Amino acid sequence: MKGLILLGAENINQNAWGAINGCEAASLLEGLHFQKRAEMINYGQFLLDMPISADGNPYRGFGGSPFKNQIGKFEAIFVTPLMQWGSRYGSLINLSGAAPWWLYQSLKEGSPVLVYVTVHFEDPKWEQYPFGKVPTNNHAVLLDGIDSDRVHVSDPIDGKYWLDRNKFETIYNSRRMAVTIQK
């Protein structure tokens, strides 16, 4: 891909709101706000609307609390319930399973992408849970830019920054979970 694309999405600091596990909601709201959706809703209100899974399964809703760690819970919300929730506010497309090229195409079309990665883009630390094997260092960021050898993310923990494209792709490809937030 030639040229620079930088959409300039906002950054929501999940820790400033006390939501130590609120990365998916922050990344989703960043993308919705970028697309001029849910503009009257702040992050705190958005978190209160997030569906919670009674059995702690992130494939059914948020598995625990975005505000604290709970023993036996996996504090995250995965693509299907995130899309059901987020679709009330804007147009989302599930890009899970897609090669990185599809994410970059979405950026080229003006749509940021929520991607499931790991905290600080470290190697995944896999553990088995009743619902499946997942990385305990699960994280979500909003992909909002790319150039020839880097991607730009709005990270709810670490802020906005450029990252080596190969590093991003290695971590993204460990799960290939992504959601485009459209206009």
Side-chain angles (χ1 to χ4, degrees):
M1 178 173 283
K2 293 184 178 183
L4 168 73
I5 297 171
L6 183 57
L7 301 179
E10 73 176 300
N11 182 257
I12 296 173
N13 182 324
Q14 69 186 66
N15 292 320
W17 287 81
I20 60 171
N21 301 311
C23 60
E24 297 95 348
S27 297
L28 178 58
L29 191 59
E30 291 168 356
L32 289 167
H33 282 176
F34 174 80
Q35 297 294 21
K36 307 293 186 218
R37 305 281 187 235
E39 291 182 289
M40 301 304 290
I41 299 171
N42 69 35
Y43 181 53
Q45 294 165 320
F46 198 56
L47 285 170
L48 295 176
D49 191 44
M50 185 168 54
I52 305 296
S53 169
D55 65 358
N57 184 333
Y59 290 102
R60 294 188 185 128
F62 193 86
S65 168
F67 301 104
K68 62 184 176 181
N69 292 324
Q70 297 174 307
I71 295 172
K73 303 278 185 173
F74 188 79
E75 285 88 8
I77 183 171
F78 288 163
V79 172
T80 298
L82 180 126
M83 286 198 54
Q84 290 167 347
W85 170 45
S87 291
R88 298 191 322 229
Y89 299 97
S91 179
L92 307 179
I93 294 177
N94 186 348
L95 284 184
S96 294
W101 181 87
W102 287 101
L103 310 181
Y104 307 149
Q105 183 63 30
S106 183
L107 293 174
K108 187 176 181 182
E109 295 168 3
S111 296
V113 184
L114 183 154
V115 290
Y116 287 78
V117 292
T118 56
V119 175
H120 311 303
F121 286 87
E122 296 172 350
D123 290 339
K125 296 177 175 85
W126 298 97
E127 281 192 22
Q128 187 66 42
Y129 283 80
F131 52 82
K133 191 174 182 181
V134 293
T136 58
N137 54 345
N138 174 69
H139 191 42
V141 300
L142 189 71
L143 182 67
D144 77 335
I146 186 168
D147 68 14
S148 60
D149 58 354
R150 301 175 302 167
V151 297
H152 190 267
V153 298
S154 181
D155 184 327
I157 293 175
D158 293 323
K160 295 180 177 188
Y161 55 89
W162 288 97
L163 176 72
D164 177 79
R165 191 162 146 178
N166 290 329
K167 177 73 169 176
F168 167 77
E169 290 180 6
T170 297
I171 299 304
Y172 167 75
N173 282 328
S174 69
R175 291 192 290 170
R176 286 194 174 188
M177 294 170 58
V179 175
T180 292
I181 300 115
Q182 291 195 306
K183 294 179 181 175

